[in-house]
Amino acid sequence: MRTLLLLLALQAPSADQLDAGEVRELCRVDFVYAPATSRLDLFTTDPVHYTLTQPRPGLVVVTLDNARVRVKNVGRDLPTQYFSSAIKEVRVHPVEGASPSVQVELHLRARRRLALHPRQQDA
């Protein structure tokens, strides 16, 4: 069984940090492949509140609240289909609204639910 690890850089935000209203920036998106595990690293300028959902089999969505992508290269799609990984493609796109957010979509090869292990830590 393959495991998908999502590593959201920086420490878990405190209530004061989240209430600040400051927009965080998604600085880098890295895909790390290993034979038994695929990992997606999301690096932000400051701690960020996020939600992780799997709306349907074959799709995992990470939403970074109050965040934006400033550098166009960070928001590019990552074609990971060349790796023998559960992740077929990674797509990053901004979501407009009252508060900006960024959605990172992981399109999976297998149309089944995978073991997800998100964690947020200092880089």
Side-chain angles (χ1 to χ4, degrees), residues 9 11 33 35 42 46 52 55 57 61 65 90 102 109 112 115:
Q11 64 190 10
Y33 170 74
L42 305 175
D46 290 301
L52 178 70
V61 178
D65 296 331
V90 177
V102 176
R109 289 185 198 282
R112 59 188 169 89

Side-chain angles (χ1 to χ4, degrees), residues 60-117:
V60 175
V61 178
V62 181
T63 303
L64 306 176
D65 296 331
N66 207 25
R68 67 176 171 215
V69 176
R70 185 175 289 196
V71 179
K72 186 176 181 179
N73 196 36
V74 173
R76 74 189 188 288
D77 293 347
L78 299 175
T80 58
Q81 72 267 21
Y82 303 108
F83 297 95
S84 177
S85 167
I87 303 173
K88 181 170 56 175
E89 184 177 23
V90 177
R91 294 184 182 164
V92 179
H93 56 87
V95 176
E96 300 299 325
S99 175
S101 61
V102 176
Q103 281 192 337
V104 180
E105 296 179 352
L106 289 85
H107 296 265
L108 309 175
R109 289 185 198 282
R111 295 203 170 268
R112 59 188 169 89
R113 296 192 184 273
L114 298 177
L116 302 173
H117 305 283

Side-chain angles (χ1 to χ4, degrees), residues 3-7 52 115-119:
T3 302
L4 170 67
L5 292 175
L6 297 171
L7 175 62
L52 178 70
L116 302 173
H117 305 283
R119 66 178 181 231

